[in-house]
Amino acid sequence: MSAHATPDPYANPLAFGQRMQILRERRGMTRQVLAGLLGKSVDWVKSVESGRMQAPGIETVYRVAEALRVRELAELTGHGEYKVDLFLGPGHPRLAAVRSAIETRPLGTPTGAPPRPEHLAARLAVAWQARHQSPTHRDKIGALLPDLIRDAQLTVKHAEGPVQWRAAQAVLAETYALAQFFLAYQPDPTLLWRVAERGMVAAEQSDDPHAIGISSWLLAQAHRDTGPSHYDQADDITAQALEYLTPLLPDATDDILAIAGALQFEAGYTAARRGATATAWRRWDTAREMAERLPESYYHPVTSFSQAIMGAHAVTVAVELHHGPESVRQAAHADAATIPSRPRRARHRIEEARGYQLDGQPDVALATLEKAHAAAPETIRYNGYARAIILEQAESKVTHRRRRASELAVEMGLLAA
């Protein structure tokens, strides 16, 4: 290798500062830009890279990794044991308590009578409402989940007879569904998988079509979001759930019809990820027809399926197909104001921003992400697509754009003030 060539940070063990410099230079980033993104001085960056200053603490290492947009900490630290996917969001302060409740199974006899399934169902309804209405929805449901999980497990364990046992399993499955929303995009994917699989088992044991539909919808999402190697599993789960639900649809309640519609769209979402344009839009159209059978004011508390959500779903299909102009066209027709859920409204804004970014409109993308942040800061903070757009524009050569993105990144806690 030439003496002037850029070394490979993986070929030989290198100090943290050397890796930071190599990865910075590969991005074409100056020390001044990196310093600005980190809220540090240029001399601090130079001192770390030259080895005059030791590697910083883990929080600063994470910020460096975000600023350099490396996918895993191991790329920056050189240590395989720090193999952390940076597309995941930060760990929520309530994550440890939720994890403890999930991993600790009740063994003894409760001191008092365990809650009845109908009481737990009422508490779950309150928790879903809190999730939809609060801008800090993860914090709200993170506070409620530990007791809900423990009580739901106890209710199953001490159910009186098969009817109550099946009802308790349905409530436990829905509790795990709520937990999946809390765990999504947090740095503990194995816990998310454990919850998704437990939710599916509880739903199957409940023999409740609504519980089975919800758990199938969430398990299919877990497979889809794992990547292309899991798309077939996602499709299989969706197809099996729809096959099970379809005979029930002629006389179905709104909730059963909604979960079937959500599964139809889920199949379209996965098709869009595959790049199967015709299948994706055909599935979306089928889901839209099912949504039109629901009352105009109806909104499913778990999947958000409704007439109001179909415009947002169309934006998602176009974005996942990487059709920038079509994404923008669909965004113009979708009315975010009709989505009653704050986190779902914020998620829609993020999808719109992805479309504007694809269409070469970064300023509109940033303005749209600001709307997402206003609707639900905890949604955008944990969303990898939003974080990627903001950090990319924080490096823009356009001064006003760089400033706007950096200010939003600071508000979200991605970069130091």
Side-chain angles (χ1 to χ4, degrees), residues 250-296:
D251 302 311
T253 62
D254 289 343
D255 285 347
I256 298 297
L257 181 59
I259 192 61
L263 285 161
Q264 283 286 355
F265 174 70
E266 189 61 32
Y269 196 151
T270 306
R273 283 275 178 95
R274 292 182 186 273
T277 302
T279 302
W281 285 115
R282 178 173 53 80
R283 290 285 195 170
W284 175 86
D285 201 47
T286 300
R288 178 185 55 79
E289 290 173 358
M290 297 176 79
E292 289 174 350
R293 292 170 56 186
L294 294 166
E296 189 174 352

Side-chain angles (χ1 to χ4, degrees), residues 335-351:
D335 185 0
T338 64
I339 302 173
S341 168
R342 292 182 73 125
R344 190 59 186 85
R345 194 158 64 244
R347 162 76 187 283
H348 169 54
R349 292 297 191 190
I350 293 167
E351 296 292 274

Side-chain angles (χ1 to χ4, degrees), residues 350-396:
I350 293 167
E351 296 292 274
E352 286 185 319
R354 292 176 66 195
Y356 289 121
Q357 185 82 347
L358 280 170
D359 198 45
Q361 301 185 55
D363 290 317
V364 184
L366 285 174
T368 307
L369 289 175
E370 288 168 350
K371 293 178 182 178
H373 188 263
E378 284 195 342
T379 294
I380 187 171
R381 183 170 183 242
Y382 286 83
N383 187 283
Y385 295 114
R387 289 146 61 91
I389 292 171
I390 291 165
L391 290 171
E392 180 174 342
Q393 297 308 324
E395 299 174 27
S396 172

